[in-house]
């Protein structure tokens, strides 16, 4: 229950930041922010910092975020540490978020989730607070594929099943238990994440898993069932680009 989680967080004295990378997410970002600000900031004091890192959206993403400016810090990715580096890509946003937040625990959440609710955050936070050996938590879920005609199958996560998991099974079999290695819902303690090298592109999630394993060991890693994640599906040529980046990583 959220009140128990709030009490546990307070008793341990940890602060929590939720970081949301965005790029053209006007269709979903409003619901994500409404849920998090209402449920986990106003009703329960679970989130201390809520930060959106935008990769240069040309739609109404920024305007929607600004409606929540009382509780949400909206940051342009290109303006953060621009004198150090200015790459594009999700991994760059996640890395730069460590510079613009100060909380003890950082939780990353994607902004394109259509069925978003607070479980995508509390499911990551819970194991970190309950289990002292857990330093990093990854979410997993069903990923249904919903076609343009509305047909629903269990064949979402195509890059995961055809590229990421087979490669991990061969090269890093210790990580074969992670059901959604490319999932964007994960988090950990700041002192752990600051010791990770972030790649700038699509390979950031799988690189994070590998680095966590090599630097902190499998016993420091956990995963949580977040039930189901619905999001937009990309065409096959985009999946080829994603797969290439993951294979290079």
């Amino acid at each position: 229950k959220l009140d128990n989680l709030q009490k546990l967080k307070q008793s341990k004295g940890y602060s929590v930041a939720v970081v949301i990378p965005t790029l053209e997410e006007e269709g979903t970002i409003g619901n994500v922010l409404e849920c998090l600000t209402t449920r986990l900031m106003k009703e329960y004091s679970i989130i201390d910092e809520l930060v959106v890192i935008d990769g240069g959206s040309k739609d109404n993403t920024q305007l929607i975020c600004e409606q929540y400016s009382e509780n949400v810090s909206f940051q342009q990715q290109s303006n953060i540490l621009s004198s150090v580096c200015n790459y594009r890509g999700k991994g760059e946003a996640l890395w730069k978020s460590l510079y613009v937040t100060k909380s003890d625990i950082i939780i990353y959440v994607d902004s394109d989730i259509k069925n978003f609710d607070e479980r995508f955050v509390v499911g990551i936070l819970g194991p970190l607070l309950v289990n002292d050996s857990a330093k990093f938590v990854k979410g997993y879920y069903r990923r249904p594929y919903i076609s343009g005609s509305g047909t629903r199958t269990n064949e979402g996560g195509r890059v995961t099943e055809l590229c990421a998991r087979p490669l991990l099974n061969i090269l890093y079999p210790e990580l074969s238990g992670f059901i959604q290695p490319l999932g964007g819902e994960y988090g950990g303690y700041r002192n752990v994440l600051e010791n990770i090298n972030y790649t700038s592109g699509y390979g950031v999630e799988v690189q994070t898993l590998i680095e966590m394993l090599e630097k902190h060991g499998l016993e420091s890693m956990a995963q949580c069932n977040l039930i189901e994640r619905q999001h937009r599906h990309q065409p096959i040529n985009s999946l080829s680009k994603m797969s290439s980046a993951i294979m290079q990583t």
Side-chain angles (χ1 to χ4, degrees), residues 12-33:
K12 295 204 168 187
Y14 291 131
S15 54
V16 175
V18 172
V19 173
I20 306 172
T22 55
L23 182 62
E24 319 287 3
E25 303 296 356
E26 64 179 6
T28 50
I29 187 61
N31 179 60
V32 172
L33 296 180

Side-chain angles (χ1 to χ4, degrees), residues 154-185:
N154 291 321
E155 296 179 358
R158 292 162 289 173
V159 175
T160 296
E161 297 303 328
L162 295 175
C163 176
R165 293 193 73 189
L167 279 171
L168 287 173
N169 290 344
I170 294 169
L171 300 174
Y172 296 92
E174 302 95 327
L175 296 174
S176 62
F178 283 90
I179 298 170
Q180 296 289 353
L182 304 184
E185 288 63 54

Side-chain angles (χ1 to χ4, degrees), residues 15-231:
S15 54
V16 175
V18 172
V19 173
I20 306 172
T22 55
L23 182 62
E24 319 287 3
E25 303 296 356
E26 64 179 6
T28 50
I29 187 61
N31 179 60
V32 172
L33 296 180
E34 180 67 26
C35 173
L36 294 181
T37 56
T38 299
R39 292 287 285 160
L40 301 185
M41 298 186 86
K42 297 176 183 178
E43 295 180 18
Y44 297 91
S45 299
I46 291 175
I47 296 176
D48 300 287
E49 296 179 275
L50 184 53
V51 181
V52 173
I53 310 285
D54 188 73
S57 296
K58 302 301 183 184
D59 63 358
N60 292 316
T61 296
Q62 181 171 352
L63 291 175
I64 295 170
C65 292
E66 288 174 349
Q67 297 175 22
Y68 297 88
S69 59
E70 180 181 353
N71 300 108
V72 177
S73 172
F74 181 87
Q75 306 268 350
Q76 286 290 351
Q77 180 176 326
S78 59
N79 292 338
I80 304 170
L81 293 175
S82 57
S83 62
V84 177
C85 58
N86 205 3
Y87 295 106
R88 295 188 178 187
K90 180 182 179 182
E92 184 82 352
L94 302 184
W95 175 73
K96 288 183 172 182
S97 75
L98 296 172
Y99 182 75
V100 296
T101 57
K102 60 181 183 295
S103 294
D104 305 303
I105 294 172
I106 313 294
I107 296 174
Y108 299 125
V109 180
D110 279 346
S111 52
D112 63 344
I113 303 174
K114 297 179 180 179
N115 62 327
F116 188 89
D117 65 27
E118 66 267 18
R119 74 179 183 273
F120 288 96
V121 169
V122 299
I124 304 300
L125 178 60
L128 291 169
L129 296 179
V130 171
N131 189 337
D132 290 337
S133 65
K135 305 301 180 186
F136 175 91
V137 178
K138 186 90 173 178
Y140 73 94
Y141 27 66
R142 296 186 302 271
R143 293 179 64 185
Y145 181 86
I146 303 174
S147 69
S149 62
T151 304
R152 181 187 178 99
T153 74
N154 291 321
E155 296 179 358
R158 292 162 289 173
V159 175
T160 296
E161 297 303 328
L162 295 175
C163 176
R165 293 193 73 189
L167 279 171
L168 287 173
N169 290 344
I170 294 169
L171 300 174
Y172 296 92
E174 302 95 327
L175 296 174
S176 62
F178 283 90
I179 298 170
Q180 296 289 353
L182 304 184
E185 288 63 54
Y186 56 97
Y189 288 95
R190 170 177 295 278
N191 60 350
V192 171
L193 295 176
E194 286 183 344
N195 193 36
I196 296 295
N197 290 315
Y198 288 72
T199 184
S200 62
Y202 288 120
V204 62
E205 274 85 19
V206 72
Q207 177 168 343
T208 300
L209 280 180
I210 293 169
E211 292 230 354
M212 279 298 306
L213 175 68
E214 293 184 337
K215 293 180 177 179
H216 300 280
L218 192 62
E219 65 278 1
S220 70
M221 306 168 70
Q223 62 179 333
C224 179
N225 186 356
L226 304 180
I227 305 174
E228 182 175 283
R229 185 188 197 278
Q230 297 176 17
H231 60 105

